[in-house]
Amino acid sequence: MTHNHTYGSPAQLTLEDGRKLHYWKHGEGGPTVVFESGMGFSGYIWGQVQPEVAKLASTVVYDRAGLGRSDDRKGPSDLAAAVADLAALLRSLSSQSPFVLVGASWGGNIIRALAAEAEFPIRGLVLVDQSDENAPEYFEPEGRKRFESMTKFMVPMAKLGFYRLIGLGVGKKQPKDVRQDLLTYDFTVRSAQAMQAEIKGFLQDMQSMKDNPSRLEGVEVSVISGTKVNWMEKKQRPAVNRAHKLTAESLAQGRFVKARNSGHYVMFDEPELVISEIARVLGV
């Protein structure tokens, strides 16, 4: 790995069980913006966002266990495990606090769960079309069947090369090195296996978040919601938007932000909106 990557300098954190988490670090001192990716995705989805944010503050982009350049996890890949790894990373970066945490999709749940533990000085959260427990579809029979199907077919699809085809259509405007990393590490059999492992505990973790809500007192939270409806989400997308709005209203310092030209992948379709919300939380 070279040190002239768009994301900055590569580094590794060795965890208590011997696993290594890989991350890219740009800049020194706090506040530090830490990026958390969605289910089954490495850190290489932030190529249109991180370079601009790095002009404003220190940044850290990391790969969750089993993804990108990080080691595989030894045990369940549930929410608690993801939060524990992220917490270990933030402890290693404590001299660069306070933190602004940015999470896409399932990454939004991870950073909210961590913030609720109140261990770290967190200036704010930016949730990018997060998986939202206020969306009823996750708990309806149809939704449960969808997730069960994903666990069965994700890895076979990857082995047949169909998952790779999806990857060819996303992130095309990212810097060349980040785009290459995305194609190298994501939409692969390994990333499909990581997603399969994360999906197993997803509904149970979502139910737990629904049953134990946190207002995140003292933490500024931007809830970005992609409002553009495609043919696959005619029913789900409006429900997700309503859930995001409800979540923003339920938080002590929540702010609901519509991404009018995006569906789920706001970081690809409207990166400037994500950048502006991060800048707002940073106060710059």
Side-chain angles (χ1 to χ4, degrees), residues 42-43 49 71 94 124 227 229 250:
S42 69
V49 176
D71 290 344
S94 59
T227 62
V229 181
S250 71

Side-chain angles (χ1 to χ4, degrees), residues 30-36 53 57-60 90 96-103 111 121-127 219-220 222 274 277-283:
T32 299
V33 181
V34 181
F35 292 88
E36 178 71 74
V53 175
S58 297
T59 62
V60 169
L90 295 191
Q96 298 177 55
S97 64
F99 299 107
V100 172
L101 306 181
V102 183
I111 64 173
I122 295 175
R123 180 169 294 185
L125 306 180
V126 178
L127 311 175
V219 179
E220 191 172 358
S222 290
V274 181
E277 284 304 302
I278 296 171
R280 191 186 62 80
V281 173
L282 285 168

Side-chain angles (χ1 to χ4, degrees), residues 112 123-127 130 132 214-225 243-258 277 280-281:
R112 276 195 297 138
R123 180 169 294 185
L125 306 180
V126 178
L127 311 175
Q130 69 156 1
D132 200 301
S214 172
R215 283 177 48 77
L216 298 177
E217 299 285 348
V219 179
E220 191 172 358
V221 185
S222 290
V223 185
I224 301 176
S225 185
H244 287 160
K245 190 171 188 296
L246 181 60
T247 292
E249 292 171 349
S250 71
L251 295 169
Q253 293 177 251
R255 166 182 163 88
F256 179 65
V257 182
K258 291 183 179 180
E277 284 304 302
R280 191 186 62 80
V281 173

Side-chain angles (χ1 to χ4, degrees), residues 9-10 16 21 36-38 55 59 73 88-89 107 110 125-126 148 182 184 186 196 221 230 244 253 263 273:
S9 300
E16 289 184 356
L21 284 184
E36 178 71 74
S37 299
K55 297 175 183 177
T59 62
R73 188 182 302 286
L89 178 61
I110 294 170
L125 306 180
V126 178
E148 289 173 2
L182 180 75
T184 298
D186 293 14
Q196 184 181 60
V221 185
N230 62 34
H244 287 160
Q253 293 177 251
L273 179 60

Side-chain angles (χ1 to χ4, degrees), residues 22-249:
H22 177 274
Y23 64 98
W24 297 96
K25 179 181 174 183
H26 194 288
E28 297 291 338
T32 299
V33 181
V34 181
F35 292 88
E36 178 71 74
S37 299
M39 189 173 287
F41 282 100
S42 69
Y44 303 112
I45 65 170
W46 298 107
Q48 292 166 251
V49 176
Q50 182 269 357
E52 294 303 312
V53 175
K55 297 175 183 177
L56 308 174
S58 297
T59 62
V60 169
V61 180
Y62 88 109
D63 298 326
R64 254 193 335 277
L67 295 160
R69 291 178 166 94
S70 289
D71 290 344
D72 292 345
R73 188 182 302 286
K74 302 171 183 177
S77 294
D78 55 12
L79 180 62
V83 170
D85 282 359
L86 178 57
L89 178 61
L90 295 191
R91 289 186 200 109
S92 76
L93 300 168
S94 59
S95 64
Q96 298 177 55
S97 64
F99 299 107
V100 172
L101 306 181
V102 183
S105 192
W106 181 235
N109 302 69
I110 294 170
I111 64 173
R112 276 195 297 138
L114 181 137
E117 295 182 353
E119 177 181 348
F120 303 97
I122 295 175
R123 180 169 294 185
L125 306 180
V126 178
L127 311 175
V128 184
D129 209 69
Q130 69 156 1
S131 303
D132 200 301
E133 64 274 13
N134 286 311
E137 67 157 325
Y138 294 120
F139 309 105
E140 295 171 349
E142 184 179 339
R144 291 182 179 276
K145 288 181 181 178
R146 185 182 307 114
F147 282 100
E148 289 173 2
S149 297
M150 287 179 69
T151 60
K152 293 178 181 177
F153 297 118
M154 182 62 65
V155 173
M157 282 180 62
K159 289 181 177 179
L160 292 171
F162 294 121
Y163 193 32
R164 172 81 173 177
L165 294 177
I166 298 173
L168 295 175
V170 302
K172 291 182 178 180
K173 295 181 180 180
Q174 295 198 118
K176 186 177 180 180
D177 54 357
V178 181
R179 166 75 169 161
Q180 184 56 55
D181 284 335
L182 180 75
L183 294 177
T184 298
Y185 292 103
D186 293 14
F187 304 101
T188 62
V189 173
R190 181 176 182 247
S191 68
Q193 290 170 334
M195 179 180 282
Q196 184 181 60
E198 291 185 324
I199 287 175
K200 285 182 179 179
F202 173 75
L203 291 177
Q204 183 175 338
D205 284 330
M206 290 287 278
Q207 185 66 58
S208 179
M209 294 192 81
K210 187 175 179 64
D211 294 341
N212 303 282
S214 172
R215 283 177 48 77
L216 298 177
E217 299 285 348
V219 179
E220 191 172 358
V221 185
S222 290
V223 185
I224 301 176
S225 185
T227 62
K228 188 174 182 178
V229 181
N230 62 34
W231 65 273
M232 292 181 65
E233 293 186 298
K234 287 183 179 179
K235 178 182 177 182
Q236 292 90 349
R237 181 52 41 186
V240 167
N241 297 147
R242 289 191 294 270
H244 287 160
K245 190 171 188 296
L246 181 60
T247 292
E249 292 171 349

